[in-house]
Amino acid sequence: MGFKEQIDITRLPEHIAIIMDGNGRWAKNQGKFRAFGHESGVLSVKDIVEGCVDIGIKYLTVYAFSTENWNRPVEEVNALMELLITTINQETETLTKNNIRLNAIGDIASLPQKCIEDLKSAMDKTANNTHCTLTLALSYSAKWEIIEAAKKLAVQVKAGKIDIDEINEAHFSAQLTTINMPDPELMIRTSGEHRISNFLLWQMAYTELYFTDTLWPDFRREDLFEAIVDYQKRERRFGKISEQLN
Ligand code: IPE
Ligand code: IPE
Ligand code: MG
């Protein structure tokens, strides 16, 4: 029996977050340039998005470029930005056909102008799609996001719109870029690295973490389904004890 058949569709995670890692090593293993790994990684994104749509995942958030990734060699950064633009433009039609809404989180203003424009246009075109929301984390870092949220709250307090004592988890969450999305129940990181790398720190407070050695360009929907099956075997206690759970 394949992993897909083992999934209990009544207990699917609503939101899956993925740190797509290992493109560079995948390319290097074959004596190719890192950019080739990134290009191949796009095929994985497409397959995973289709896999999510197939089984009914409502939110998929993928870490495509971190704030820290700006520190990579300029040729690699440029190649990634080019790839982003090409991919967005190539895939918008398919997103629409599959009823997928494209969303982006991160410091979008720091991206190249062409990237901002094409991203915005693709987001506009897919804005009314309802089957699944695909969020690209671009120039994203969780610490950046949390600081931005703190600043927004400070402005509201200063303007007398809210009282300091009114600030609670819900209020804070509403300032984050993931507003209107549930927190991810499952986070997958490929490539054998066991770290969060500044991704969704607030939102992943109680997320189930799944790490696999598979490099991102080799990751396919069957691997996603395997991660979901693993997730469904876990007991999420949220601080309680087993006996308290139904
Ligand atoms: C992930 O793959 C893609 C991005 C960070 C943009 P990497 O490029 O980090 O690949 P490795 O980790 O060096 O193999
Ligand atoms: C995390 O991968 C960021 C993305 C996948 C976009 P990195 O490869 O940049 O992470 P570190 O530097 O190994 O932690
Ligand atoms: Mg990496």
Side-chain angles (χ1 to χ4, degrees):
M1 185 159 69
F3 287 108
K4 186 181 166 187
E5 290 70 39
Q6 294 175 50
I7 295 175
D8 174 356
I9 52 150
T10 65
R11 293 192 305 117
L12 282 178
E14 219 187 335
H15 183 177
I16 298 179
I18 306 184
I19 301 180
M20 313 184 288
D21 198 15
N23 295 351
R25 278 164 282 169
W26 185 88
K28 205 175 163 190
N29 289 344
Q30 311 172 42
K32 300 261 174 58
F33 291 113
R34 293 179 59 86
F36 179 65
H38 298 311
E39 284 165 26
S40 305
V42 174
L43 302 177
S44 300
V45 179
K46 286 168 69 170
D47 196 61
I48 295 313
V49 172
E50 282 174 28
C52 283
V53 169
D54 179 22
I55 59 169
I57 302 295
K58 297 307 284 179
Y59 298 90
L60 173 68
T61 300
V62 295
Y63 206 4
F65 193 84
S66 73
T67 307
E68 288 75 21
N69 289 149
W70 288 114
N71 298 319
R72 291 193 177 190
V74 66
E75 312 79 63
E76 179 164 349
V77 171
N78 290 343
L80 280 164
M81 293 302 146
E82 285 294 325
L83 183 62
L84 182 63
I85 293 169
T86 333
T87 308
I88 291 169
N89 291 322
Q90 261 167 21
E91 297 305 319
T92 309
E93 211 181 299
T94 313
L95 291 176
T96 305
K97 209 170 67 200
N98 291 324
N99 199 9
I100 302 166
R101 183 170 76 93
L102 184 69
N103 178 37
I105 57 171
D107 187 8
I108 303 305
S110 68
L111 297 170
Q113 196 53 38
K114 170 93 176 114
C115 210
I116 300 175
E117 285 163 16
D118 292 0
L119 190 60
K120 196 179 172 304
S121 145
M123 281 165 56
D124 287 346
K125 281 182 193 150
T126 61
N128 296 322
N129 296 348
T130 53
H131 197 71
C132 176
T133 297
L134 168 64
T135 300
L136 306 178
L138 294 167
S139 193
Y140 174 89
S141 95
K143 286 191 175 179
W144 164 84
E145 173 180 46
I146 291 169
I147 289 170
E148 289 302 305
K151 284 193 216 163
K152 286 186 209 163
L153 284 174
V155 168
Q156 292 170 38
V157 170
K158 204 171 159 192
K161 288 190 179 136
I162 53 161
D163 194 76
I164 287 185
D165 295 325
E166 275 179 65
I167 300 174
N168 56 22
E169 277 188 27
H171 209 107
F172 199 93
S173 292
Q175 317 304 314
L176 297 170
T177 59
T178 47
I179 183 169
N180 299 329
M181 274 193 245
D183 287 343
E185 295 96 330
L186 171 63
M187 191 285 286
I188 300 169
R189 183 173 188 148
T190 58
S191 91
E193 307 297 353
H194 295 184
R195 55 176 171 263
I196 304 295
S197 302
N198 218 345
F199 190 39
L200 302 176
L201 294 180
W202 171 281
Q203 297 86 341
M204 292 209 293
Y206 252 113
T207 299
E208 295 297 329
L209 308 180
Y210 179 90
F211 298 99
T212 169
D213 287 340
T214 303
L215 301 173
W216 180 250
D218 287 329
F219 196 84
R220 286 293 180 274
R221 72 183 82 182
E222 192 60 10
D223 303 290
L224 171 78
F225 298 154
E226 181 175 9
I228 296 173
V229 168
D230 185 277
Y231 158 83
Q232 291 188 330
K233 287 185 186 141
R234 301 182 188 189
E235 182 176 68
R236 306 189 74 204
R237 289 188 290 278
F238 299 99
K240 294 181 181 172
I241 64 167
S242 278
E243 288 72 15
Q244 290 176 289
L245 307 170
N246 289 323

